[in-house]
Amino acid sequence: MATALRRLRLLSLPLGTAAFGAWARLAALAGADADEVRAELRQRNAERTRATLGELKGGALKAGQLLSTVDALLPQDPEASWSAALGELQEVGVPIAFRELAPVLFAELGTSWRRDLVALDPTPVAAASLGQVHRGRWRDGREVAVKIQYPGVAEAVASDVGTVAAMSRLAARIAPSLALPPLVDELRTRLAEELDYTREAAVQTRFVEGFADDPGVVVPEVVAASRRVLVSTWLGGTPIASLASAPPAQRDAAARAYQRFLVAGPAYAGWLHTDPHPGNFRVLDDGALGVMDFGSALAMPDGMPPSFGRLLAALIADSPDEVGAALEDAGFVEPGSAVEVDKLLDYMRPFTEPAAATEFTFTRSWLRGQFGRVNDPRNPDFGVALQLRMPAEHLFTHRVWLGMVGVLCHLEATVPVAEVLERWLPGFHRPVEPVPTGG
């Protein structure tokens, strides 16, 4: 019954939007001010989406957090109701009472857990998609962050993925080239990994060791871990998203550190951090980047795969032959497939602009314009994207790229993209001739 109700609540989002739209049309016919009706409609839809995703948690909340990362894609209005509503999901969802979490602590850490956690604030400091975080003090005096998984969240995630899987099977029948089922399988695997906090602790420790000699990145140490409880040293600092109104130099410094960590992570630690939303990143008092939440991570013991770097380099070089070979090498097309590479070059050019520039200024208006262009079915090159197949192993690397660009645009930062890619992305190189800065 709980699973059925959860699916109904997810389905209620598009149905509710349609109902509110009907109400708006009736109000307009009755003589109400059209602008006021539209503003009210946006506000209602935004708040209902935030409340529903925040309460459901699990995979549903993760989707909302990812969407809020790329706020330039949200409907724009003077009140910024969508950005404000979903932006709240980045830092604090809808927490649950500590009494509901206490049984998890007993089950995972034993009846003596209070001897280890000599102090624990029952009010959460953050409520995420799979669990919430409380501040405490360990028996040796260290201030710690205690992440506790929500009871029943594993079942909620399974339900959400099941709903998406059913929708993807239907979409695959309508548009077979989308190849969504393999991507859903990959999503199911990765979310199952995120539910195991002992795995997260092991990944986090690899990042601690990998960045130990890097003063620009701070990763909290693991104090204790079980499958549903993770205790780490406390990490303060300022959320990176809140720097959007900071002076340009401060924004650029934070953006450079953020970009470098995401791209260089595999070389430093053998893992790619695949949850780039800004709630996981802090700027510390000394300017270092503090990084949290290693539940979503992809093993890359040999560093970034060179196929992605070669494809990006071929796109920048504007070489159809190289692009075709790189697409096959990365698994985006079947060998011998006929892809209109010349159109693909034009279709993807907005996304290669940052990588081609010595420095690039990311802005929300730039991102909004690029997405409006490439997602417009009236664009004659739009259909070429449907000829591509997203390999499952690239699902989360593309999530990182998309999320990273979204955060950089939120900060309106100028960063040396090409320099970082040439240093840390195997197979990538720029054309010999310099490319003018975009933005």
Side-chain angles (χ1 to χ4, degrees):
M1 179 63 71
T3 297
L5 290 175
R6 183 178 182 84
R7 289 181 176 175
L8 283 174
R9 292 200 66 188
L10 283 174
L11 291 173
S12 74
L13 291 177
L15 293 175
T17 298
F20 280 147
W23 164 81
R25 287 190 292 273
L26 289 173
L29 289 173
D33 182 88
D35 290 337
E36 292 181 2
V37 169
R38 282 193 292 269
E40 176 70 13
L41 180 63
R42 288 192 295 266
Q43 186 66 33
R44 289 191 183 191
N45 282 327
E47 288 300 324
R48 185 171 53 87
T49 300
R50 181 204 62 77
T52 300
L53 296 182
E55 291 169 6
L56 287 177
K57 307 184 188 338
L61 179 53
K62 275 200 166 295
Q65 288 175 333
L66 183 59
L67 180 61
S68 67
T69 298
V70 193
D71 63 355
L73 306 185
L74 300 172
Q76 302 299 311
D77 59 81
E79 294 79 14
S81 54
W82 272 97
S83 296
L86 290 186
E88 295 176 17
L89 298 177
Q90 293 177 357
E91 288 294 326
V92 181
V94 179
I96 67 174
F98 180 74
R99 64 178 178 275
E100 298 181 49
L101 292 175
V104 178
L105 285 172
F106 278 107
E108 298 294 312
L109 302 183
T111 57
S112 62
W113 69 267
R114 293 185 185 276
R115 290 204 299 266
D116 295 324
L117 277 168
V118 296
L120 185 64
D121 189 343
T123 302
V125 295
S129 54
L130 304 181
Q132 63 190 45
V133 179
H134 294 254
R135 187 168 186 171
R137 188 169 67 254
W138 200 244
R139 60 176 181 265
D140 59 7
R142 283 182 291 177
E143 295 293 310
V144 294
V146 184
K147 183 160 74 168
I148 310 168
Q149 194 172 114
Y150 299 124
V153 77
E155 293 78 5
V157 167
S159 172
D160 292 345
V161 174
T163 301
V164 173
M167 295 171 64
S168 72
R169 287 192 292 271
L170 176 61
R173 290 177 185 152
I174 298 172
S177 64
L178 293 180
L180 291 177
L183 300 185
V184 175
D185 289 341
E186 179 76 0
L187 179 64
R188 179 183 288 109
T189 298
R190 299 306 168 200
L191 287 176
E193 291 173 345
E194 286 194 58
L195 291 166
D196 184 0
Y197 287 0
T198 58
R199 175 187 179 275
E200 179 177 350
V203 174
Q204 184 170 327
T205 298
R206 289 291 302 273
F207 275 93
V208 170
E209 297 168 349
F211 283 92
D213 297 325
D214 188 326
V217 174
V218 175
V219 179
E221 295 181 357
V222 174
V223 176
S226 70
R227 188 169 180 82
R228 295 188 294 165
V229 175
L230 176 59
V231 183
S232 305
T233 52
W234 181 257
L235 185 67
T238 303
I240 193 171
S242 67
L243 297 181
S245 58
Q250 189 177 0
R251 285 187 276 118
D252 291 349
R256 288 189 181 99
Y258 169 79
Q259 175 199 221
R260 182 175 72 90
F261 169 81
L262 289 173
V263 178
Y268 274 85
W271 288 82
L272 176 69
H273 188 294
T274 56
D275 198 354
H277 83 79
N280 294 331
F281 298 88
R282 298 283 190 273
V283 177
L284 307 184
D285 292 341
D286 63 358
L289 181 73
V291 186
M292 306 179 296
D293 200 341
F294 295 84
S296 180
L298 197 61
M300 291 185 174
D302 300 320
M304 285 275 202
S307 59
F308 182 68
R310 286 197 290 267
L311 175 58
L312 192 57
L315 287 166
I316 291 174
D318 204 11
S319 170
D321 291 340
E322 291 183 24
V323 170
L327 286 171
E328 289 188 11
D329 181 46
F332 284 94
V333 297
E334 296 291 337
S337 297
V339 177
E340 298 174 280
V341 175
D342 55 335
K343 290 186 177 181
L344 180 66
L345 287 168
D346 184 61
Y347 182 82
M348 295 297 293
R349 188 165 285 116
F351 299 97
T352 59
E353 285 180 8
T358 301
E359 282 194 335
F360 192 84
T361 300
F362 290 87
T363 66
R364 300 182 194 185
S365 60
W366 171 82
L367 182 61
R368 193 177 305 125
Q370 305 316 314
F371 271 89
R373 174 181 176 273
V374 301
N375 289 323
D376 185 356
R378 296 168 297 180
N379 179 355
D381 300 330
F382 177 83
V384 74
L386 299 180
Q387 301 176 32
L388 304 181
R389 302 173 66 91
M390 171 72 77
E393 60 270 20
H394 283 283
L395 174 62
F396 278 75
T397 55
H398 281 70
R399 174 192 182 185
V400 172
W401 183 263
L402 177 64
M404 180 180 72
V405 169
V407 172
L408 295 178
C409 288
H410 174 77
L411 294 176
E412 305 247 321
T414 299
V415 294
V417 183
E419 175 186 331
V420 171
L421 295 180
E422 287 178 326
R423 177 75 173 84
W424 303 110
L425 185 60
F428 176 78
H429 57 84
R430 282 185 297 169
V432 175
E433 292 296 324
V435 179
T437 298

